[in-house]
Amino acid sequence: MIENTVYQFAVPTMDGEEVSLNIFKGKVLLIVNTASDCSFTPQLNELEQLRQAYAAEDFEILAFPSNDFGGQEPLENNSLEQCYRGTFGVNFQIFDKIRVRGVYAHPLYKFLADKKQNKHVSAVPRWNFHKYLINKDGVVTDFFYPFTKPTSSRLRKRIDKLLKQLSPI
């Protein structure tokens, strides 16, 4: 079932293609809106630490750069990817820059933020590094505000719990 899951969405890659999120079926996902020039930007390093900690598990981090908050993501395409991969050394999925709030928000983010659509949480990103946790079935299960560090025990416990759950997919 794709309805009420993130699998119903396609998202833009850095090379201008669209990729369906159903390529991540059966994995726990942490979806994060990011920015390279924000006080929370050191979380990129922590997100990479989290990725490494769960490298042997069915877990993926999906980063969506956004310039929605204070113009803190001025970079585009290759510059953006070079910054994230070179400066911050991240190896998780980085997608093309999108809008994450407001009328022009990408449909994925409209879904993530709206309980009427996702059936579980109501949480519009208030700043960069807002995090959504998705179970192996593509269902939004939780969210974390920007001040919650990716390496926090609270977040890791939730990831561990979701990884232990069996998926009917």
Side-chain angles (χ1 to χ4, degrees):
M1 177 174 154
I2 289 183
E3 191 177 315
N4 299 331
T5 74
V6 297
Y7 304 142
Q8 65 187 302
F9 300 99
V11 293
T13 63
M14 287 287 188
D15 59 10
E17 301 294 319
E18 290 275 322
V19 65
S20 172
L21 290 182
N22 71 28
I23 64 171
F24 298 105
K25 277 186 179 176
K27 295 189 176 202
V28 172
L29 304 175
L30 185 66
I31 297 177
V32 186
N33 62 296
T34 60
S36 63
D37 190 23
C38 172
S39 63
F40 290 113
T41 301
Q43 286 191 22
L44 288 171
N45 294 321
E46 294 173 21
L47 286 165
E48 179 58 23
Q49 290 170 20
L50 189 67
R51 184 201 67 79
Q52 290 173 14
Y54 290 100
E57 306 283 342
D58 286 327
F59 175 74
E60 295 276 346
I61 296 170
L62 310 183
F64 289 91
S66 177
N67 201 36
D68 286 2
F69 304 99
Q72 295 181 347
E73 187 49 84
L75 302 176
E76 300 284 340
N77 304 329
N78 289 342
S79 298
L80 194 118
E81 189 166 24
Q82 286 174 346
C83 175
Y84 280 49
R85 300 220 186 277
T87 305
F88 295 100
V90 303
N91 289 301
F92 48 80
Q93 294 279 170
I94 306 165
F95 292 91
D96 201 7
K97 189 157 66 170
I98 63 170
R99 302 286 304 266
V100 299
R101 70 173 184 169
V103 95
Y104 299 109
H106 188 278
L108 169 64
Y109 266 82
K110 287 182 179 180
F111 171 81
L112 293 170
D114 185 5
K115 188 173 184 175
K116 288 180 184 174
Q117 292 185 53
N118 68 48
K119 308 296 184 213
H120 295 277
V121 303
S122 181
V124 175
R126 294 184 181 165
W127 204 252
N128 302 307
F129 293 89
H130 187 95
K131 302 156 198 75
Y132 294 97
L133 194 56
I134 314 300
N135 73 12
K136 292 179 183 181
D137 300 323
V139 175
V140 182
T141 62
D142 211 342
F143 69 93
F144 302 87
Y145 291 114
F147 49 80
T148 302
K149 293 185 175 206
T151 54
S152 73
S153 63
R154 181 173 168 249
L155 178 54
R156 291 179 65 124
K157 284 177 185 176
R158 296 252 174 52
I159 292 168
D160 290 338
K161 181 178 177 183
L162 292 178
L163 286 169
K164 289 176 185 170
Q165 291 177 349
L166 295 178
S167 173
I169 294 175

